[in-house]
């Protein structure tokens, strides 16, 4: 039998053995991050099961710091030879890499918040029940309108994540969470025209998902796009649907990361305390947000999660920090060290980032606009310049007349600057929704450039 085993329920025993091995290395500071992910994916197509896939993987990352030099190694194989190789890579890096200002590992916390992010029933729900719900989601899409021709994708995913984190300062942290997601893409056709519609939902518990609502909404978005045409161009007020506002916020997010600020890669450098958005706009990053996608008691370094106000009533209030970059600025970490698995060291990322909602319903926003463009989807968001904020995207949407849908719009482009756009926010909706880890309500923007493609 191998000394190290990733199977079964011995995650704590495995961590103890990894730490015993690590302590034999002469290094000023060490950290071990051990994660196990169990996942299930179910796909349905044309009423039949398209895929059922289960996976389970454990991996460990070793981070060594010596004289502000970083060493890193990882392994997903737990034989003595594989662990030795990962530890040796980390030890070598801590001797050979260039020093980094502020580099170090945090002290242990007195306590971490208790969060309800684990569904103990998830593993006990029969596969047949989960499969039946995915089929019901597909059927809801197909039965919602006769113009819905087919469902391209109906998928369910679940994951159970178990984390162990220790460092040489005595920090010992553990966390267990579950996440379930569903998504569906529907195709609607009328005559020679066809349009696609997509919708998804996520929750911490299986019982909180509304499968059929996801199917109906995806189908509805496809149907509502049929018959799209161009509208009058020019500079005009527009409404950004909440999913579009969230995509813009995704682009903006990197400007609030302390590493980008310190490297001069953020337009917000040197602007703390200054107005950067409209007076009614507030932006929050909240690692404790109830049932958020990235909600957890601590970040990937073991720093307790917190709520950080980035923009308060239009004024820049804070940036997001991990331990190292907080040390450079003489501040405390905001708990924003994040990892995309164990294959790389943690970096600074937002947790649950969202615009604070206003009091007006979506219907009231449309009535405020009167006649104009509702933008329901943008294409090519990745092409926006994350530093300057300049963008030009294709769009689809709806032309509103007297606050009511008049006709679908497509074949047009939206151009401007994201920072200027948020400064032009006239009214904020109450319909806050998260799309992944970023959330936003719908926004009425005072003026944006709209043109035909």
């Amino acid at each position: 039998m191998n000394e190290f085993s990733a199977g079964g329920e011995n995650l704590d025993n495995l961590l103890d053995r990894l730490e015993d091995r690590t302590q034999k290395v002469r290094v000023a500071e060490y950290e071990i991050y051990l994660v196990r992910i169990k996942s299930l994916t179910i796909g349905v197509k044309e009423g039949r099961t398209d895929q059922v896939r289960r996976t389970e993987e454990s991996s460990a990352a070793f981070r060594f710091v010596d004289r502000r030099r970083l060493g890193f190694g990882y392994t997903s194989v737990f034989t003595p030879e594989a662990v030795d190789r990962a530890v040796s890579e980390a030890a070598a890096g801590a001797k050979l890499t260039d020093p980094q200002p502020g580099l170090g590992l945090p002290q242990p916390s007195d306590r971490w918040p208790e969060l309800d992010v684990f569904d103990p029933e998830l593993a006990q729900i029969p596969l047949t029940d989960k499969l039946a719900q995915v089929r019901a989601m597909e059927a809801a899409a197909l039965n919602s309108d006769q113009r819905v021709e087919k469902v391209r994708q109906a998928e369910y995913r679940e994951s159970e994540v178990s984390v162990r984190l220790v460092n040489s300062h005595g920090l010992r942290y553990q966390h267990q969470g579950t996440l379930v997601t569903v998504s569906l893409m529907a195709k609607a056709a009328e005559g020679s025209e066809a349009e696609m519609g997509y919708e998804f939902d996520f929750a911490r518990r299986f019982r909180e998902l509304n499968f059929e609502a996801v199917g109906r909404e995806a189908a509805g978005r496809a149907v509502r796009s049929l018959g799209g045409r161009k509208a009058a161009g020019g500079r005009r007020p527009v409404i950004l649907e909440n999913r579009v506002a969230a995509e813009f916020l995704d682009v903006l997010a990197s400007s609030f990361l302390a590493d980008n600020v310190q490297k001069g890669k953020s337009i917000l450098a040197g602007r703390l305390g200054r107005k950067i958005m409209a007076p009614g706009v507030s932006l929050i990053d909240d690692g404790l947000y109830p049932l958020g996608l990235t909600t957890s008691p601590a970040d990937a370094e073991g720093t307790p999660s917190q709520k950080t106000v980035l923009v308060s009533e239009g004024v820049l209030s804070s940036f997001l920090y991990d331990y190292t970059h907080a040390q450079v600025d003489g501040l405390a970490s905001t708990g924003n060290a994040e990892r995309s698995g164990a294959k790389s060291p943690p970096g600074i990322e937002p947790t649950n980032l969202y615009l604070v909602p206003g009091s007006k319903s979506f219907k009231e926003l449309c009535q405020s606009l009167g006649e104009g463009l509702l933008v329901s989807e943008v294409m090519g968001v990745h092409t926006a310049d994350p530093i300057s904020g300049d963008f030009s995207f294709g769009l689809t949407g709806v032309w509103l007349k007297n606050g009511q849908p008049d006709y679908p719009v497509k074949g047009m482009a939206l151009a401007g600057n994201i920072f200027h756009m948020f400064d032009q926010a006239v009214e904020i909706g109450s319909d806050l929704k998260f799309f992944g880890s970023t959330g936003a309500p719908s926004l009425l923007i005072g003026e944006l450039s709209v043109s035909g493609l």
Side-chain angles (χ1 to χ4, degrees):
M1 180 180 293
N2 290 329
E3 180 183 353
F4 299 99
S5 172
E9 299 299 321
N10 62 347
L11 210 58
D12 291 313
N13 292 337
L14 175 58
L15 178 62
D16 289 341
R17 295 187 181 117
L18 294 176
E19 190 169 22
D20 287 344
R21 185 66 59 87
T22 300
Q23 289 173 339
K24 296 177 182 177
V25 179
R26 292 185 178 181
V27 66
E29 300 175 274
Y30 71 80
E31 172 194 84
I32 305 171
Y33 174 83
L34 178 61
V35 59
R36 173 178 293 158
I37 301 176
K38 300 177 183 179
S39 65
L40 168 66
T41 301
I42 299 173
V44 168
K45 185 177 292 185
E46 297 179 354
R48 297 190 299 271
T49 304
D50 186 52
Q51 67 165 321
V52 175
R53 185 174 70 252
R54 293 186 184 273
T55 63
E56 179 176 337
E57 182 178 15
S58 298
S59 52
F62 302 88
R63 197 160 55 126
F64 293 171
V65 178
D66 198 67
R67 293 171 298 167
R68 303 201 184 283
R69 301 174 189 269
L70 174 65
F72 181 81
Y74 87 96
T75 184
S76 57
V77 178
F78 292 90
T79 62
E81 295 78 13
V83 171
D84 281 342
R85 185 161 49 249
V87 170
S88 296
E89 289 174 357
K95 298 184 188 314
L96 300 174
T97 56
D98 293 332
Q100 299 179 36
L103 185 65
L105 301 176
Q107 297 293 322
S109 170
D110 291 336
R111 58 176 298 180
W112 292 281
E114 294 184 7
L115 300 173
D116 187 15
V117 293
F118 179 73
D119 182 2
E121 298 179 359
L122 183 61
Q124 309 305 319
I125 299 172
L127 177 62
T128 52
D129 290 2
K130 297 170 182 176
L131 184 56
Q133 290 283 16
V134 183
R135 287 175 172 159
M137 177 173 65
E138 182 191 44
L142 293 170
N143 295 333
S144 63
D145 192 290
Q146 62 182 5
R147 290 168 290 181
V148 179
E149 188 177 79
K150 65 167 60 177
V151 169
R152 288 279 182 89
Q153 168 194 315
E155 191 170 82
Y156 164 84
R157 293 185 178 186
E158 69 180 42
S159 61
E160 178 184 325
V161 179
S162 300
V163 170
R164 302 291 186 272
L165 179 69
V166 300
N167 73 20
S168 52
H169 300 303
L171 185 150
R172 301 192 74 87
Y173 166 74
Q174 66 179 43
H175 169 63
Q176 189 173 23
T178 52
L179 183 68
V180 286
T181 64
V182 287
S183 61
L184 186 140
M185 181 175 288
K187 177 185 177 183
E190 192 168 40
S192 61
E193 183 187 7
E195 296 289 345
M196 305 299 296
Y198 176 81
E199 181 66 353
F200 82 102
D201 193 15
F202 68 88
R204 291 292 181 171
R205 286 170 170 74
F206 182 82
R207 306 298 183 190
E208 294 169 353
L209 289 174
N210 191 330
F211 288 79
E212 294 186 19
V214 170
R216 288 191 295 268
E217 178 59 21
R221 297 186 75 85
V223 169
R224 290 193 295 270
S225 297
L226 292 170
R229 55 189 170 93
K230 293 182 180 180
R235 298 191 65 82
R236 60 178 65 254
V238 302
I239 292 176
L240 303 180
E241 194 177 333
N242 51 17
R243 67 178 59 211
V244 176
E247 287 190 84
F248 277 112
L249 187 55
D250 265 334
V251 177
L252 195 64
S254 63
S255 298
F256 293 92
L257 308 184
D259 52 347
N260 287 334
V261 175
Q262 292 171 3
K263 294 172 185 175
K265 294 182 178 181
S266 169
I267 200 171
L268 300 180
R271 300 182 66 182
L272 277 174
R274 298 184 187 177
K275 176 181 174 296
I276 64 168
M277 295 182 180
V281 177
S282 294
L283 178 62
I284 289 175
D285 180 80
D286 190 358
L288 303 173
Y289 193 87
L291 304 179
L293 185 68
T294 58
T295 298
S296 66
D299 71 0
E301 295 181 309
T303 300
S305 297
Q306 67 176 51
K307 178 180 180 179
T308 303
V309 178
L310 299 175
V311 178
S312 177
E313 296 295 325
V315 176
L316 179 61
S317 303
S318 179
F319 297 118
L320 298 177
Y321 288 92
D322 62 359
Y323 178 81
T324 293
H325 293 88
Q327 293 295 299
V328 172
D329 283 353
L331 299 171
S333 169
T334 57
N336 285 91
E338 297 296 327
R339 301 179 192 249
S340 54
K343 293 186 177 181
S344 59
I348 308 175
E349 294 290 342
T351 57
N352 303 298
L353 180 69
Y354 68 98
L355 286 171
V356 176
S359 59
K360 286 206 169 184
S361 68
F362 179 71
K363 182 178 180 180
E364 289 172 326
L365 280 187
C366 293
Q367 291 171 342
S368 294
L369 179 63
E371 183 168 4
L373 180 63
L374 163 65
V375 180
S376 55
E377 185 178 352
V378 289
M379 286 74 77
V381 175
H382 64 281
T383 63
D385 188 323
I387 298 178
S388 72
D390 292 337
F391 68 87
S392 180
F393 305 143
L395 69 86
T396 60
V398 178
W399 188 260
L400 302 179
K401 192 171 184 179
N402 297 322
Q404 299 295 321
D406 191 19
Y407 59 88
V409 174
K410 66 178 180 180
M412 301 197 73
L414 193 68
N417 180 277
I418 299 177
F419 295 98
H420 180 68
M421 184 190 76
F422 280 107
D423 192 38
Q424 291 287 306
V426 176
E427 293 185 12
I428 303 173
S430 59
D431 56 338
L432 170 65
K433 184 176 179 180
F434 274 83
F435 299 87
S437 60
T438 305
S442 297
L443 301 176
L444 173 56
I445 306 298
E447 188 178 76
L448 278 174
S449 177
V450 181
S451 60
L453 292 175

